[in-house]
Every structure is written in structure tokens, then in C-alpha cells.
């Protein structure tokens, strides 16, 4: 499936058919280039000539039936907030945008289960859930733009994975249109169901290669009655690891996030986003801890005890507790804008790995040494200006940023496949939460066995024998 797919040009007759379904059609080159043919970082550019905007599952079914018969390839797109090129039509495929499928179909306030269409923006969905006393268990920096269908299709992790887990655990059911147009109705809302294969799991993280997710049933979490943050300044990565152990022991069930970033990340947010640093002094490392519970007094006592433990072991040099709602939002915004600040500072080669905690800082040292040895980093004017890490402690997810003068070129040649080999040899995964997209499938072999890769390919072949769904991406590149 590595072979490129040659798409027949979309004809006027095709556009007429789509329009006849009542589907909005965009085939203006300027509109497509500005909104649909470029990814969030400006790294991946597409060549789609047509974008379709269905408003119902039946319309999606009719579109895929027609495209499958005609051999027209399709790329599904939601908020287009991804950074791996997975939602970009690189080969002139038709873009199927789900932005107009944005209704909440049902909300059970007793069981806490919400059924929503895939085009619902994550932040809007969470605002809706909070009015009912619940919260959506996934939260991302791109919450204002990303959509729940894309969150499912990339198996998004996010800021509170430590507390709420993955989409594989939160999603109870899916409605999916298969490549041949058949509607797979597994939109169950039951929390326990042992009747046969759990087919929905195939589509979580499939990135639109097996079908189009049109609706999601998701188990919500109770809206917390009490929240607070603690920002810590530390001088050594090993102290972050010890602090995390103590957080699990002392904060227990109320800890919902444990984020870290290094000094240079902090400086970039201050410089390019014009935000105040969350701490008064400069530190080699920063940690952001969030607790969510039902009794503020109880949670305050636990956090105070935890901070005393940190001070007792001389792990932290500075700390700040944030309990005001507005200040908490500002503090989270500082963390959420970290990737955006990096992208403003240059061309950001972003790597999203799962890696055992004991190797995370080692990765940063190894990458800097590798690029210095290649003559690309370490002195003013060299192709690489910055190499940084930040991530989600507790779920092994680390983000590595290499800021260069351009995308691709000598920097990418030096980094790839070297960095993927390094991560695989240290027990890591080449993709933690951003997905494989159009680029990383070729590196899957460094963290997955040949039998596992062949099994994934066989599933793709079974469900999409004509290879019309997001061709040339994901496992197809392996």
C-alpha cells in the first residue's frame, strides 16, 4: 500500500452529483489553499481541488458510496489542527469536512454519557457538558479548534490523560461510515458490553484510513467542584521524577495533571507570546500540577502537605499555588501556548514520543549531541537554533522540538531516521498522541513488530480494498 494512488480528476459531473445530495461544495482554489490545503504548522501542503461539507451521516454514506465506485480518494478533515499532515490531501483527494456535523444528539445526565456528531468543537462540547455538571475527559491545547471526531480518530491524549486515561477507555460507541458507504452503527451508550468483538476500537487512532467517524458516544467525567494548581521550579530532571512519585502518594485520586517543561520553553513563551512567567525566578525546569476534587478544604490540605514533603526533600527552589479561577486559566494558557511559541521562533520540527521516564532527559542530551556532532547546532548562525522538551509526566509522553531555519533539508536528514531508531531502542513509541499522519508510518518498524504491522495492514486491506480512505498515510507507509 505504499504505492501512490492516482485519483481521477473530479469532474463537473462529480460536483453536480455532490451538489445534488444537498452537500455544500467548495472548489475555489484560494479558499482551499487558505483553509484546507495547509496544516497547522505550515509544513504540509495539499492539492485538493474540492471540499465537501455534509450535514448528515446519510450524506456521508452517499458520498463514500459514489467515491468508492468511481475510485475517488477521500481525506476526512475536522478542525485541521494536527501537526502530522494526516488531514491534508497530498494527492488531490476530495476533502470531506465534518465541520457542519456539529450537533449534540443526546445527553444522559444520570449516566453521564454524551452522544455528539464528529464536527463538534472540543471546547464547545465541554462547555455544553459543564452546564450539565460534567466535563469531557480529554483536553488539548487546540481545544478551540479541534473536533471530537478528530480527537477520536487520532486517539488524542492531552493534558489530563493522567486522570482520565485515553479515548480507548472514554469512548463507549461510534457511528462510522465504511469506505463502501455502509453505515456501521456501534453507537452504544452502555458502559459494559461483552457481546462480541469491540469493533469501535479499530477506528480510534485509525486517522480516517478505515472509514469516517460521524458520531461519538463518550463517557463524561463529573465536573470538579474544586480545582487548584501548583507551579514548581526545580534544577534537576531527577527531582521532577521524585516529585511525581510523591504527588501520586500524597495527592492520590485528586491529581489530574502533572506537566513539565524546561527553561528554554519558558523563555520562548515569555518572548513570543508576551506572557508573564508563572514563577518569579528562572529555573532549569518547571512543573505544573493540577488537582480536581469535590472539597476544596480537603484538597488544599493535601496540596499543602505535598508541598511540605517537596521542601523537606529539597526538591524545589520555588513554588506558587494558584486557586483563583482567572489566574488558573492564565497559567494553563501559558502551558497550552508552548508549541505555538516554538513555531513562532522558527520552523518547528516536532516529535511526539512515548518514552520511559528514565530516558526522557537522556533523549534531549542525545539529540543535542547528535546535532552538534553533525555541525548543525551549538553556535550562532547554525541551522538549528533550539532543541527543547516538554511533556506530560505520568503517561510517558514527551514532546521534542527542533527549531530550524527551514523544514526538511539537512536538519531532517540528520534527525531521521536516527531519532526514531534511538526512541525504539530505548523502549519508546514513535507516536504518542499526534498520530502517524503522512510521514511517521515509515518509522513504525522501530517500535512495532513485523507481525503487528502486517496485521494492521491486513485490517486496512479488508475494510478498504480500493484504498480510497486517506491513502498513502498511517500504516500504509510502513
Amino acid at each position: 500500500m505504499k504505492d501512490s494512488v492516482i485519483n481521477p480528476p473530479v469532474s463537473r459531473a462529480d460536483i453536480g452529483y455532490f451538489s445534488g445530495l444537498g452537500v455544500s461544495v467548495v472548489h475555489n482554489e484560494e479558499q482551499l489553499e487558505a483553509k484546507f490545503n495547509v496544516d497547522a504548522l505550515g509544513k504540509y501542503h495539499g492539492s485538493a481541488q474540492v471540499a465537501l461539507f455534509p450535514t448528515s451521516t446519510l450524506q456521508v454514506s452517499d458520498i463514500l458510496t459514489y467515491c468508492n465506485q468511481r475510485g475517488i480518494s477521500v481525506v476526512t478533515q475536522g478542525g485541521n489542527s494536527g501537526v502530522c499532515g494526516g488531514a491534508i490531501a497530498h494527492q488531490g483527494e476530495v476533502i470531506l469536512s465534518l465541520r457542519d456535523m456539529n450537533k449534540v444528539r443526546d445527553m444522559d445526565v444520570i449516566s453521564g454519557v454524551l452522544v455528539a456528531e464528529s464536527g463538534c468543537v472540543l471546547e464547545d462540547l465541554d462547555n455544553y457538558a459543564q452546564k450539565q455538571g460534567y466535563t469531557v475527559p480529554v483536553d488539548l491545547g487546540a481545544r478551540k479548534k479541534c473536533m471530537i471526531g478528530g480527537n477520536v480518530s487520532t486517539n488524542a491524549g492531552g493534558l489530563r490523560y493522567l486522570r482520565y486515561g485515553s479515548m480507548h477507555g472514554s469512548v463507549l460507541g461510534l457511528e462510522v461510515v465504511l469506505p463502501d458507504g455502509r453505515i456501521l452503527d456501534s453507537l452504544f451508550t452502555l458502559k459494559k458490553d461483552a457481546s462480541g468483538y469491540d469493533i469501535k476500537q479499530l477506528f480510534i487512532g485509525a486517522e480516517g484510513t478505515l472509514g469516517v467517524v460521524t458520531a461519538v458516544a463518550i463517557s463524561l467525567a463529573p465536573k470538579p467542584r474544586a480545582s487548584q494548581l501548583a507551579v514548581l521550579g526545580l534544577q534537576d530532571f531527577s527531582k521532577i521524577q521524585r516529585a511525581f512519585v510523591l504527588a501520586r502518594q500524597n495527592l492520590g485520586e485528586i491529581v489530574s495533571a502533572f506537566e513539565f517543561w524546561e527553561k528554554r520553553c519558558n523563555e520562548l513563551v515569555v518572548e513570543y507570546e508576551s506572557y508573564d512567567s508563572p514563577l518569579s525566578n528562572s529555573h532549569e525546569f518547571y512543573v505544573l500540577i493540577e488537582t480536581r476534587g469535590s472539597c476544596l478544604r480537603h484538597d488544599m490540605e493535601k496540596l499543602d502537605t505535598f508541598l511540605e514533603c517537596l521542601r523537606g526533600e529539597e526538591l524545589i527552589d520555588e513554588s506558587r499555588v494558584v486557586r483563583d479561577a482567572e489566574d488558573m486559566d492564565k497559567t494553563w494558557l501559558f502551558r497550552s501556548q508552548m508549541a505555538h511559541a516554538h513555531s513562532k521562533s522558527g520552523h518547528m520540527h516536532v516529535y511526539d514520543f512515548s518514552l520511559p521516564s528514565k530516558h526522557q532527559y537522556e533523549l534531549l542530551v542525545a539529540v543535542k549531541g547528535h546535532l552538534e556532532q553533525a555541525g548543525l547546532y551549538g553556535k550562532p548562525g547554525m541551522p538549528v537554533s533550539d532543541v527543547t522538551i516538554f511533556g506530560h509526566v505520568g503517561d510517558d509522553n514527551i514532546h521534542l522540538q527542533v527549531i530550524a531555519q527551514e523544514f526538511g533539508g539537512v536538519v531532517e536528514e540528520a534527525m531521521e531516521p536516527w531519532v526514531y531508531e534511538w526512541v525504539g531502542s530505548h523502549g519508546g513509541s514513535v507516536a504518542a498522541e499526534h498520530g502517524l499522519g503522512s510521514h511517521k508510518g515509515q518509522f513504525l518498524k522501530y517500535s512495532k513488530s513485523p507481525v503487528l504491522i502486517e496485521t494492521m495492514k491486513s485490517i486496512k486491506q479488508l475494510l478498504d480494498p480500493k484504498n480510497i480512505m486517506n491513502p498513502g498515510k498511517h500504516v500504509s507507509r510502513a
Side-chain angles (χ1 to χ4, degrees):
M1 288 189 180
K2 287 185 179 180
D3 296 337
S4 296
V5 175
I6 300 176
N7 293 302
V10 178
S11 66
R12 290 186 178 181
D14 297 328
I15 293 174
Y17 175 81
F18 297 136
S19 298
L21 297 174
V23 175
S24 295
V25 181
V26 170
H27 50 93
N28 178 284
E29 185 174 344
E30 290 185 4
Q31 285 182 281
L32 288 167
E33 182 61 31
K35 294 184 178 180
F36 308 103
N37 272 334
V38 62
D39 77 316
L41 295 180
K43 180 178 181 179
Y44 297 101
H45 294 266
S47 55
Q49 301 300 307
V50 175
L52 308 177
F53 302 86
T55 57
S56 71
T57 301
L58 287 176
Q59 286 182 341
V60 175
S61 174
D62 288 339
I63 290 168
L64 290 193
T65 299
Y66 182 85
C67 288
N68 194 57
Q69 292 171 349
R70 284 267 291 122
I72 299 172
S73 298
V74 177
V75 171
T76 309
Q77 196 173 99
N80 195 21
S81 59
V83 296
C84 296
I88 301 300
H90 299 285
Q91 303 178 65
E93 303 95 330
V94 167
I95 289 177
L96 185 65
S97 172
L98 298 183
R99 71 178 190 187
D100 292 340
M101 293 185 64
N102 53 20
K103 299 180 181 64
V104 174
R105 293 187 184 177
D106 187 51
M107 171 73 198
D108 188 330
V109 296
I110 298 175
S111 64
V113 176
L114 180 144
V115 180
E117 293 178 340
S118 288
C120 290
V121 174
L122 179 59
E123 184 175 67
D124 295 340
L125 207 57
D126 189 56
N127 289 338
Y128 178 92
Q130 291 207 29
K131 292 177 182 178
Q132 314 297 322
Y134 292 92
T135 186
V136 178
V138 65
D139 187 23
L140 309 173
R143 66 182 70 84
K144 294 180 181 295
K145 187 178 181 183
C146 66
M147 299 174 184
I148 193 65
N151 301 150
V152 170
S153 295
T154 57
N155 188 25
L159 303 169
R160 297 187 176 95
Y161 191 103
L162 176 64
R163 175 70 171 271
Y164 300 123
S166 74
M167 301 300 285
H168 283 290
S170 299
V171 172
L172 302 177
L174 294 175
E175 178 183 82
V176 182
V177 180
L178 298 176
D180 61 5
R182 290 179 296 160
I183 299 173
L184 177 67
D185 184 3
S186 66
L187 200 59
F188 307 122
T189 58
L190 300 175
K191 295 182 179 179
K192 295 182 74 174
D193 183 4
S195 56
Y197 300 123
D198 193 3
I199 296 297
K200 71 175 183 293
Q201 299 293 349
L202 288 176
F203 301 94
I204 300 174
E207 301 180 43
T209 60
L210 301 180
V212 178
V213 175
T214 50
V216 180
I218 188 167
S219 180
L220 303 175
K223 179 182 177 181
R225 293 185 176 182
S227 297
Q228 56 183 344
L229 300 177
V231 186
L232 313 177
L234 311 90
Q235 294 303 313
D236 187 87
F237 190 78
S238 64
K239 292 183 177 181
I240 296 177
Q241 296 170 315
R242 177 59 181 163
F244 176 67
V245 172
L246 291 174
R248 297 295 295 271
Q249 292 174 350
N250 288 273
L251 299 175
E253 77 287 351
I254 67 170
V255 63
S256 53
F258 196 110
E259 301 288 298
F260 89 91
W261 59 93
E262 56 159 319
K263 180 179 181 179
R264 185 57 181 150
C265 298
N266 207 77
E267 293 171 345
L268 288 171
V269 177
V270 171
E271 179 180 355
Y272 288 95
E273 300 296 332
S274 299
Y275 295 158
D276 292 333
S277 175
L279 293 178
S280 300
N281 300 312
S282 179
H283 304 275
E284 290 301 314
F285 294 97
Y286 297 79
V287 164
L288 172 63
I289 300 170
E290 179 189 68
T291 72
R292 288 183 151 198
S294 58
C295 178
L296 182 58
R297 178 181 295 180
H298 168 267
D299 296 353
M300 288 171 62
E301 291 176 355
K302 296 189 81 167
L303 183 59
D304 290 342
T305 300
F306 165 66
L307 293 175
E308 283 303 314
C309 288
L310 297 183
R311 295 187 189 104
E313 294 195 18
E314 299 183 345
L315 297 176
I316 57 175
D317 299 315
E318 185 182 359
S319 65
R320 173 172 165 252
V321 175
V322 186
R323 294 189 174 111
D324 177 76
E326 184 176 347
D327 286 344
M328 286 194 291
D329 287 343
K330 289 180 179 178
T331 304
W332 266 122
L333 186 61
F334 188 96
R335 164 60 184 87
S336 298
Q337 291 297 99
M338 207 152 282
H340 192 243
H342 279 76
S343 68
K344 285 183 176 180
S345 71
H347 291 77
M348 180 173 66
H349 294 72
V350 58
Y351 297 94
D352 163 56
F353 299 126
S354 277
L355 192 65
S357 178
K358 61 184 178 181
H359 296 308
Q360 290 181 354
Y361 186 67
E362 187 183 343
L363 170 65
L364 178 65
V365 174
V367 171
K368 286 184 174 180
H370 177 71
L371 292 174
E372 286 175 353
Q373 189 174 11
L376 301 174
Y377 172 73
K379 295 180 181 179
M382 284 187 166
V384 175
S385 58
D386 279 305
V387 181
T388 69
I389 55 169
F390 62 86
H392 318 296
V393 179
D395 62 17
D396 295 330
N397 185 188
I398 186 168
H399 300 295
L400 169 71
Q401 291 70 228
V402 177
I403 309 302
Q405 296 172 352
E406 62 180 355
F407 288 124
V410 294
V411 174
E412 187 170 293
E413 290 175 5
M415 285 294 295
E416 302 171 10
W418 175 85
V419 71
Y420 294 102
E421 292 180 288
W422 193 97
V423 168
S425 68
H426 288 77
S429 169
V430 301
E433 63 180 2
H434 292 171
L436 293 173
S438 63
H439 184 65
K440 290 190 285 186
Q442 61 188 310
F443 307 117
L444 198 56
K445 62 185 178 182
Y446 297 116
S447 60
K448 294 289 188 290
S449 71
V451 173
L452 186 53
I453 293 172
E454 286 303 317
T455 301
M456 287 192 279
K457 286 184 173 182
S458 68
I459 293 171
K460 167 71 171 172
Q461 178 64 33
L462 175 67
L463 292 179
D464 185 20
K466 292 187 177 181
N467 195 25
I468 70 162
M469 300 304 304
N470 223 356
K473 301 196 186 88
H474 200 256
V475 72
S476 296
R477 293 215 63 189

